């Protein structure tokens, strides 16, 4: 983003003057709401209503047209029909307005005609360097300065307070829902932006704007479909570098992208698995509900992101301790034991207390308050937990207890400003405010508290992650004009350092017999044709062929079968390959995701991928370290590491192959649709990994 | 439960008179709180404080002792030290008091001495037929009549209102947390009972009490460990018969029962998997958090439990529709499309609306309210969805919209009183109360609404379930004195109709060679010894033995190996068995769960159980229909049903075997520890299923 772009988006958050085109005197109409909101929130900039039919609007002087405006507005709000808006935008752009927020619908979302209008609108703006948010956008709210470039009606239920969470939403209606929910939950906002049709300003740019904004610490992102991946990824990477947590709802998990469903690998994936993988790579925490998103955002504003997260629990109920442990284990958040000698110290204070962690101080603390402070202090000092969760439930709200509890907790908190302190309590809003002011983040439900705490550790790890090993460099593959045969495919892959089982392409029976002398029995025979991709489906593969006669018979059988099943196929002959055995069968693949480009996939062979869906994905390219982490992350990984008395396989070779494949996928360009290495034999340690079959799908070259 | 027991527990919920032993004038002390609570809640029964040191307590006449009481109290609350309580309980029992609620701690939870006191306490009560709730119990609250047999301090934050949800909790502190959370959420309660040490009245009895209570519709159950399974199971079965939904938090998911970890099958299971299976059998919905539990309980009070649940969604935000679909798909709740012709009708009304389901009426309804009613009515009438979720977010709280929206919704609701209507809205407490009064259940978060709606369908299915096929009857097995050899084990199982691969136990080499003439090559040779259970671990199994010489060599090898590895083993010879092939390897097993008794297990062979944990459990015994459902429920089931071009296996035979095994497990008695049939070959359809190995672990007979 250049300096000008940055300036433009600054204007969007902090305009000195705002024109409202289609300004209405009625504070409930689309053209009236922004004015009413800004006035009620004491917006300090100048509001310039434009309405040819009125001298004043909501008590402000109105102007008949853009030309009549006494100054050039930084921002213009467009609340007039789509058709009329193009000329107005052109006028505003010519005068030098930085950004137009276009509320109006009737653009690309409404069909081809609207799409043309939208193109004209953007062209008119861009001609003079003006940017457009929308159209069909609910606009932008900045509670810090009272700028309401929005007609969102959810604020009727309560105006948001200023704070450090930015909401960025592709949906207007749901953005309003998030805004209202956040407001009701008392979450202070730096902005709430709703991107609409993204004709010009993209979701990625708005995220980048919030990354650049010094008053924003946390970004809560709601997305229905990623239109422009590169910009969004760049913005999310910038957020990670700036240590600004992004929590994202990407909805539509159940929808499988049609384009991605074509190749074998992709049919297993579905778009959402890819999105899940990409977000994890980028350190974005994905929320499954609005409640989760706002819980995580709220805790993230404490700005404590433990790199090696672990949870210490102090509780007045053993049961709550168990619930918290259950939730932590579900999420993989460790709840390590207290040092044994410290446990003895605590037991000396209160024999029936449980001092392991969760540290259960029991209801005894109501009789002896010093117990609470000694238990809490000891746990925080000696346990060394980066995150501390106190379960005090309704005791924290009892008038007879709350003030003393608050004092005790505050003292401990002040001595450890680097720790993440969370409370699970039931109390009045005033009491909760008190605990929050003292530096605690308060949740009612202990399970929700654990979910948010675990997310902070994921941010910590993402922010601390060092650059890993470099992805390998492979020569740019020279892709053939169309999908290659198996032998061609393997040659292509060999040039990128991907090894196949030894094999020889044979055009005659005699050549096939001769080939077995080099390769040794048993062999595999496979039909060789660029027109037959899935050979086993037509009976085009013969395994464990173990003598010359069988080779001769097999050759004839394969050619005959192929000719019968696919009469139009060009038959080049038969591939004679070494029959590998003793390894573990894996699948390695690449498929081009319509949003994120080439994605690498790894899984165990056959049923593990197809029935158990035990696979992992990653954007291409990546180094062997990432490849190894992928391999080790699947559920069936013990099979590769020596489960059930098997020898461990050559993980190094397998990881290298996956990494080389990812480099090939990245270098091959947009014509590469998919690669399917199935099976790859991961041989015992030290003996390598070999692709036994390779299918590469390529889009035909477009002749000009 | 007999008539007397029922009468006793009636007294516990509806006492006409309550003695408080250890009554205190201080309303914040344990012996003072119940009196203060009952008086503030206008309890209509007589309160009889007992305190030898005072003439009055909180303004009521106090009595010096149980003997001095002017009448026999129905219920006595014991708030004096453990030691003194035994005599007082004896005195109360002798006078004829029905139930004592014992608050006091210092009993079984504190060690062996306390355990002895607890035994004495129960004996003293039982001598005269008195029952005991507790000790170490926070007691019982009945908001319907203001009976507070409890010192729970959470009510300081607000007294619960009367309603139709019963909270039953094993934990006092966490029970108080649930009580306070439910109260804050406005959930009316029929009772809140906390069972404490369960020295006498068990969790199951309290559940049964709430099943019998006409004012209770829903039971919210919190459990940390099931002490007495039979009574609880009977109560949960009674709840199902009475169509009273039970929603349960069973915490401690991460704890693996030590006793259960002994046998192979059990080491895979862990207690929690068993609990999960048993609760599903009983139609109990398990909640993972307090929030989930109360959401489900709240919706369940509407008493609409669809048998074939399906969700119709009306929304003002397309995004919310997607979120709702995501959540529904995660839970397996169908969101079927509207009839195509109805979609056309709706599109005629509003061209840009999405009429498929979710039905998106868009913000247009704000301009034309008739759209809303027509869309909603059409969806409800024509879609026929048993459950309807309306997402109206903040529009339902906007003063300019809410009254009309409420009218519209109410009209639709009244025409369809049999449907489950749920709203996801943001509104003021008063507005929400209005929607609730009209018969809608209101949630803020749409994802939480979906979770609760899905649970209602699970109740519907459980309540509608017909008795399935009867479990097979097998002769009571005559278990040997100790763990049998493989051949003995298979004979035992054969008597219960469980088939093994054809095999012959051979004590000599020549017998083994002769055996192959009956069985046919190839064969499997296995060492035969009651002292060697896990034969393959010591190299005691030879596969694919294909000629006589190999049989002779193999016999000698096995006997030598076994003698070397387990020098003390009694070697009986070698088992010669047919080498099965062409089937799918499965594992069938039984293990005795310390809580629920014999549990049957099914999974696919080898890695699927050990690495992928793809297994299913069920209490013994059950019929072939249940067995088949179990088999079809595992993730790897496609492998049995013909995935990847394999022939489907003989599911009937496999289900019969599993069912017979369950009958054997149930009939064998408490000495049976585990059975492990691993592998079982499920042969292609029509060809049966055969156990290739069988290990039965038996506790030695205790000689008197």
């Amino acid at each position: 983003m250049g300096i000008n772009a940055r300036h433009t988006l600054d204007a969007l958050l902090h305009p000195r003057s705002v024109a409202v085109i289609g300004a209405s005197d009625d504070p409930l109409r689309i053209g009236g709401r922004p004015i009413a909101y800004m006035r009620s929130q004491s917006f300090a900039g100048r509001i310039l209503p434009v309405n040819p039919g009125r001298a004043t609007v909501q008590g402000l002087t109105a102007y008949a047209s853009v030309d009549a405006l006494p100054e050039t507005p930084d921002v213009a709000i467009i609340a007039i029909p789509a058709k009329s808006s193009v000329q107005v935008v052109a006028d505003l752009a010519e005068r030098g307005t930085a950004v137009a927020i276009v509320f109006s619908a009737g653009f690309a979302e409404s069909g081809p005609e609207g799409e043309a209008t939208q193109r004209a609108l953007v062209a008119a703006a861009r001609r003079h360097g003006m940017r457009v948010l929308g159209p069909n956008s609910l606009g932008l709210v900045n509670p810090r300065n009272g700028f309401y470039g929005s007609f969102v009606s959810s604020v009727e239920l309560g105006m948001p307070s200023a704070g450090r969470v930015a909401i960025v939403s592709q949906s207007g209606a749901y953005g309003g829902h998030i805004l209202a929910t956040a407001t009701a939950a008392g979450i202070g906002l730096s902005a709430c932006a709703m991107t609409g049709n993204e004709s010009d300003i993209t979701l990625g740019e708005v995220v980048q704007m919030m990354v650049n904004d010094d008053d924003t610490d946390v970004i809560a992102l709601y997305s229905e479909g990623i239109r422009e991946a590169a910009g969004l990824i760049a913005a999310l990477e910038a957020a990670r570098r700036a240590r600004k947590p992004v929590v994202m709802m990407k909805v539509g998990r159940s929808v499988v992208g049609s384009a991605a469903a074509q190749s074998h690998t992709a049919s297993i994936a579905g778009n959402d698995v890819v999105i899940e993988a990409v977000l994890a790579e980028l350190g974005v925490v994905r929320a499954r509900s609005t409640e989760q998103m706002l819980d995580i955002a709220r805790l993230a504003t404490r700005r404590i992101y433990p790199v090696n997260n672990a949870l210490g629990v102090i509780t007045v109920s053993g049961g709550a301790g168990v619930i918290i442990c259950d939730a932590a284990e579900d999420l993989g958040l460790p709840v390590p034991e207290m040092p044994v000698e410290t446990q003895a110290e605590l037991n000396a204070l209160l024999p029936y207390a449980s001092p392991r962690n969760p540290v259960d101080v029991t209801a005894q603390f109501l009789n002896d308050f010093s117990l609470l402070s000694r238990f809490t202090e000891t746990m925080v000092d000696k346990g060394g937990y980066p995150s501390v969760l106190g379960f005090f439930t309704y005791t924290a709200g009892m008038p007879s207890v709350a003030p003393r509890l608050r004092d005790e907790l505050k003292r401990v908190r002040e001595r450890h400003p680097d720790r993440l302190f969370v409370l699970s309590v039931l109390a009045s809003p005033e009491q909760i405010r008190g605990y929050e002011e003292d530096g605690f983040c308060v949740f009612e439900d202990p399970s929700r508290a654990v979910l948010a705490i675990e997310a902070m550790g994921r941010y910590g790890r993402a922010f601390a992650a060092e650059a890993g090993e470099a992805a390998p460099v492979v020569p740019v593959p020279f892709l053939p004009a169309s999908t290659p045969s198996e032998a061609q495919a393997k040659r292509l892959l060999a040039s990128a350092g991907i090894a196949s089982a030894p094999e020889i392409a044979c055009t005659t029976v005699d050549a096939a017999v001769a080939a077995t002398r080099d390769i040794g029995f048993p062999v595999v025979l496979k039909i060789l044709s660029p027109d037959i991709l899935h050979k086993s489906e037509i009976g085009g593969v013969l395994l464990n062929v173990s003598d010359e006669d069988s080779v001769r018979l097999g050759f004839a059988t394969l050619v005959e079968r192929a000719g019968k099943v696919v009469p139009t196929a060009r038959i080049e002959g038969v591939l004679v390959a070494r029959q590998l055995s003793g390894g573990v069968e894996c699948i390695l693949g690449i498929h081009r995701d319509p949003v994120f480009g080439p994605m690498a996939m790894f899984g165990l062979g056959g049923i593990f991928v197809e029935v158990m869906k035990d696979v992992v994905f990653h954007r291409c390219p990546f180094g062997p370290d990432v490849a190894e982490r992928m391999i080790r992350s699947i559920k069936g990984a013990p099979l590769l590491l020596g489960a059930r008395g098997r020898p461990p396989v050559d993980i190094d070779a397998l990881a290298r192959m996956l990494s080389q494949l990812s480099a090939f996928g990245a270098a091959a360009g947009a014509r590469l649709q998919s690669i399917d290495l199935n099976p790859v034999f991961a041989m015992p340690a030290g003996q390598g990994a070999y692709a036994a079959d390779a299918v590469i799908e390529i889009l035909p070259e477009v002749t000009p």
Side-chain angles (χ1 to χ4, degrees), chain A residues 44 83 85 126 142 196 207-208 257 267 285 320 398 461 479 488 493 524 589 594 605 639 658 666 685 693:
Chain A
K83 280 285 166 57
S85 65
R126 279 288 175 112
N142 181 349
V207 171
Q208 183 71 59
S267 71
V285 172
M398 288 164 62
R461 287 195 298 278
L479 298 185
Q488 281 178 297
L493 292 164
V524 183
L639 286 177
L658 184 55
D693 192 6

Side-chain angles (χ1 to χ4, degrees), chain A residues 157-344:
Chain A
L157 275 63
M159 287 289 180
S161 59
R164 306 191 66 87
V165 174
I167 295 170
V168 180
S169 171
Q170 281 186 317
S171 164
Y174 208 77
H177 177 74
I178 299 169
L179 176 62
T181 309
T183 301
I187 299 174
L189 302 178
S190 59
C192 176
M194 289 157 285
T195 56
N197 288 4
E198 294 178 37
S199 69
D200 177 29
I201 297 177
T202 62
L203 190 67
E205 281 181 288
V206 177
V207 171
Q208 183 71 59
M209 171 172 86
M210 301 323 302
V211 172
N212 294 342
D213 175 47
D214 290 337
D215 291 341
T216 295
D217 290 332
V218 178
I219 298 166
L221 183 55
Y222 172 92
S223 167
E224 295 176 350
I226 294 161
R227 297 186 178 97
E228 204 275 297
L232 180 62
I233 286 172
L236 295 174
E237 281 170 345
R240 175 161 61 172
R241 280 193 303 275
R243 298 178 58 82
K244 295 195 179 184
V246 179
V247 55
M248 182 169 182
M249 281 185 88
K250 167 64 189 68
V251 305
R253 295 194 302 266
S254 37
V255 179
V256 177
S258 61
Q262 286 165 1
S263 83
H264 173 75
T265 308
S267 71
I268 298 156
N271 267 345
D272 198 69
V273 189
V274 169
I275 287 165
E276 193 87 21
V278 172
L279 295 182
E281 267 178 60
L282 294 167
V284 173
V285 172
R286 189 169 183 186
R288 293 179 86 82
S289 68
T290 314
E291 192 168 88
Q292 279 185 7
M293 181 166 74
L294 293 178
D295 281 353
I296 291 168
R298 195 157 61 86
L299 183 54
T301 59
R302 301 281 154 181
R303 301 188 66 189
I304 295 175
Y305 314 115
V307 180
N308 296 301
N309 206 6
L311 182 63
V313 182
I314 180 130
T315 177
V316 297
S317 150
V322 179
I323 291 167
I324 289 164
C325 286
D326 282 356
E329 187 177 292
D330 284 349
L331 298 165
L333 172 64
V335 186
E337 237 181 89
M338 291 278 284
V340 176
E341 59 280 12
T342 313
Q343 294 189 35

Side-chain angles (χ1 to χ4, degrees), chain A residues 627-672:
Chain A
E628 184 168 339
R629 276 205 301 279
M630 289 170 67
I631 293 167
R632 289 180 183 270
S633 76
I634 63 168
K635 213 172 163 192
L639 286 177
L640 298 166
L641 304 172
R644 290 171 60 82
R646 295 162 189 242
V649 307
D650 195 334
I651 296 281
D652 283 352
L654 196 59
R656 265 198 316 276
M657 181 188 274
L658 184 55
S659 165
Q660 296 290 138
L661 182 68
S662 78
F664 183 95
R671 282 180 55 230
L672 177 70

Side-chain angles (χ1 to χ4, degrees), chain A residues 33 57 70 79 109 129 139 174 250 262 264 277 334 401 433 447 475 507 509 521 535 564 630 671 687 689:
Chain A
R33 285 186 184 268
V57 166
E109 83 286 358
Y174 208 77
K250 167 64 189 68
Q262 286 165 1
H264 173 75
V401 177
R433 211 153 30 241
S447 310
T507 51
V509 172
F521 285 112
K535 292 179 282 292
K564 216 176 270 175
M630 289 170 67
R671 282 180 55 230
Q687 297 176 39

